[in-house]
Amino acid sequence: MTPTDSHLFYQSRTPRPFLDRGEGIYLYDTSGKRYIDGTSGAMVSNIGHSNPRVLAKMKAQMDKATFGYRLHFRTEPSEALAAKTASMMPEGLDRVFFVSGGSEAVESAIKLARQYAIVQGQESRWKVISRFPSYHGCTLGALDLTGYDPLARPFDPMMRGMPKVPAPVTYLDRDNLSEHERGLKYAEMLRDEIIAQGPETVLAFLMEPVGGASTGALVAPDSYYGRIREICDEFGILLIYDEVMTGAGRTGKFIAAEHWGITPDIVALSKGFGAGYAPLGATVAGARIVEPILDAGGFLHGFTYAGNPLACSAGLAVLEELEEHNLVANAADMGEVLLARLHGLMDRYPFIGHVRGKGLLTAFEFVADRDTMEPLPTALNAHSRLVEIAYERGLITYSRRTRGGTSGDHFLVAPPLIVTEAQIDDIMAILTDSLDAFAHEAGLDVESAA
Ligand SMILES: Cc1ncc(COP(=O)(O)O)c(C=O)c1O
């Protein structure tokens, strides 16, 4: 099929085959070719494809009702999913507002924060500080918080221009500090920015606890997380964790905040929360934030499709699968295996400059020089070439330009949480073959001894 045969328009004109079916970590096109879903789509299909329990629950719900507007009816699936979500979140995060995707979850989080400030009598607080690079969504509110130039720049005149602080890209730093000190250094940048903006104007700080597409699974030093919480508390600023990609078990905890014992004030969830079975997301906060807003007349916000019983029945079944099959623990265990294998690639490919991640959210980054971490020439288009080469060989990966979207190339490897060690071997075999082919095509050296 040529691109012009389709009435659809998305980001790219690259023609893709028709999807036929999915099963576990595999997808099949209509010619019968099998693909390993090495990134769970866009880090979505956490429990794999065509899970029988989820499909059965959805079918049962379909036979009853697929939609009941949330202002007209309570529904059992939405109540049950809210209760289940609250039970899996850190203590105190027990009020749930359903949405249909990640951008909506982030928009809802910042509007909830703003309404909280108003009911607290703090009208002057409206600025949300976020990080650069980062990705928080494509609606104008979420995009204003996104630090990714190619996606944001054309729309700059339509946005307020929310303040940004550097993401903690310590692997690029060439100073004499320890990792602990670097973590604190990046956290202090937030404090400096709050003071520069005027603390009484700052509403919230928004961050991805483990980076997603824009930074390629960036993990900050441990010291960063606690210090950020302290700084937010010092100035009465709400800490919002964007766990759209990291939530629902992907990093080896239900939400990534648990790795550092942090309780954010508001959390955005989506992707793995609906796991590809239904468009679903949630904004989760504590009663401390939600109750005063309800007392003052309610949250002035909502999406028509949100909380519909079909999507919620899927979400509930997804969380039950996670629990019953210990998939969050599997993400932690298999994540260690995967990360070790990716580190192993550095022996063979001198152009892999860094490997990082947590649980089954992992990435590797290309460089021209490991000492300086200078990126490969942009003209090589490595980020798209390797993805295409792997795709031809039946492995789906996900890449972005790394340094704010303008240069550098990183690749995410994030299979469904059901992945086995043998399947990780299969992923690595295709990846190695693809890296060899890319190196050959780009004229890059490969260490044959490894
Ligand atoms: C961290 C993060 N936040 C928000 C979003 C936006 O989610 P959606 O594309 O579902 O609107 C994404 C999507 O990639 C994401 O990774």
Side-chain angles (χ1 to χ4, degrees):
M1 184 183 196
T2 61
T4 46
D5 290 339
S6 175
H7 294 275
L8 292 166
F9 65 101
Y10 296 124
Q11 267 162 325
S12 142
R13 290 199 161 184
T14 313
R16 290 290 186 211
F18 276 98
L19 175 65
D20 183 34
R21 65 194 172 87
E23 193 183 323
I25 71 158
Y26 305 106
L27 291 166
Y28 297 83
D29 70 20
T30 44
S31 77
K33 180 176 167 183
R34 191 185 85 171
Y35 304 78
I36 298 179
D37 192 356
T39 52
S40 312
M43 284 55 76
V44 170
S45 302
N46 279 11
I47 63 164
H49 299 275
S50 305
N51 179 286
R53 174 206 290 258
V54 183
L55 298 183
K57 280 239 178 184
M58 289 179 77
K59 278 176 194 149
Q61 184 58 44
M62 268 190 250
D63 288 339
K64 287 195 189 171
T66 54
F67 189 76
Y69 187 47
R70 68 185 187 288
L71 301 184
H72 297 160
F73 293 100
R74 294 173 72 171
T75 67
E76 264 182 39
S78 62
E79 293 289 345
L81 178 58
K84 186 90 194 154
T85 306
S87 77
M88 296 172 87
M89 295 292 284
E91 179 97 32
L93 287 168
D94 58 358
R95 296 290 195 278
V96 182
F97 181 87
F98 288 122
V99 296
S100 303
S103 304
E104 291 184 9
V106 170
E107 292 274 352
S108 306
I110 59 171
K111 288 179 73 178
L112 188 71
R114 170 67 183 156
Q115 255 195 276
Y116 176 69
I118 292 171
V119 300
Q120 297 296 106
Q122 300 185 348
E123 284 261 359
S124 63
R125 291 189 188 269
W126 61 270
K127 293 174 190 165
V128 180
I129 302 177
S130 59
R131 310 192 309 192
F132 187 93
S134 63
Y135 187 72
H136 297 293
C138 63
T139 52
L140 286 173
L143 188 64
D144 203 2
L145 303 165
T146 287
Y148 200 76
D149 282 342
L151 293 175
R153 200 172 286 148
F155 307 100
D156 275 348
M158 302 167 77
M159 301 187 289
R160 292 277 322 220
M162 289 286 191
K164 308 275 182 306
V165 292
V169 285
T170 59
Y171 69 101
L172 297 175
D173 286 350
R174 292 292 175 270
D175 51 31
N176 291 322
L177 300 178
S178 66
E179 272 300 276
H180 180 83
E181 289 166 335
R182 285 187 186 144
L184 297 178
K185 179 184 87 176
Y186 279 92
E188 290 313 310
M189 291 178 191
L190 172 62
R191 195 170 185 283
D192 294 345
E193 186 63 30
I194 292 169
I195 291 167
Q197 291 291 334
E200 70 290 350
T201 68
V202 180
L203 176 65
F205 178 56
L206 172 70
M207 56 176 266
E208 297 158 273
V210 177
S214 66
T215 54
L218 180 74
V219 187
D222 289 341
S223 55
Y224 179 81
Y225 296 88
R227 184 68 190 124
I228 289 285
R229 179 71 269 187
E230 280 173 11
I231 291 168
C232 290
D233 290 345
E234 179 185 349
F235 295 103
I237 288 165
L238 295 175
L239 176 58
I240 306 175
Y241 266 30
D242 180 345
E243 299 243 15
V244 165
M245 190 180 288
T246 51
R250 164 110 345 241
T251 70
K253 299 277 186 195
F254 184 67
I255 62 168
E258 295 169 57
H259 289 291
W260 298 277
I262 302 293
T263 305
D265 298 300
I266 307 178
V267 176
L269 297 172
S270 187
K271 292 196 183 258
F273 190 56
Y277 291 89
L280 184 64
T283 303
V284 187
R288 176 179 78 84
I289 297 202
V290 172
E291 292 302 326
I293 294 172
L294 297 181
D295 289 344
F299 188 22
L300 303 171
H301 181 70
F303 299 96
T304 299
Y305 271 98
N308 83 77
L310 183 59
C312 289
S313 71
L316 184 58
V318 167
L319 296 190
E320 287 168 357
E321 276 293 286
L322 282 183
E323 259 187 354
E324 203 162 294
H325 298 288
N326 291 320
L327 295 182
V328 182
N330 195 57
D333 295 345
M334 290 302 107
E336 274 182 32
V337 172
L338 178 59
L339 203 60
R341 303 274 164 92
L342 292 176
H343 272 292
L345 292 177
M346 292 182 79
D347 296 338
R348 182 168 171 79
Y349 305 103
F351 55 89
I352 297 184
H354 196 243
V355 169
R356 53 186 175 262
K358 202 140 198 96
L360 283 171
L361 183 57
T362 67
F364 57 93
E365 180 168 333
F366 284 174
V367 291
D369 180 332
R370 277 188 193 162
D371 289 332
T372 62
M373 295 298 275
E374 183 195 329
L376 287 179
T378 47
L380 276 181
N381 262 329
H383 65 293
S384 67
R385 277 308 298 146
L386 181 68
V387 167
E388 291 310 314
I389 291 168
Y391 193 91
E392 281 160 25
R393 287 162 172 71
L395 173 67
I396 296 174
T397 55
Y398 195 103
S399 72
R400 281 282 184 274
R401 286 227 187 271
T402 191
R403 318 274 166 92
T406 49
S407 66
D409 314 87
H410 61 243
F411 302 85
L412 287 157
V413 187
L417 278 47
I418 55 170
V419 75
T420 64
E421 196 161 344
Q423 289 170 331
I424 289 177
D425 288 340
D426 294 343
I427 291 171
M428 294 309 296
I430 303 179
L431 196 53
T432 307
D433 187 33
S434 306
L435 284 161
D436 280 345
F438 169 74
H440 182 73
E441 172 184 301
L444 297 168
D445 287 340
V446 168
E447 303 285 338
S448 51

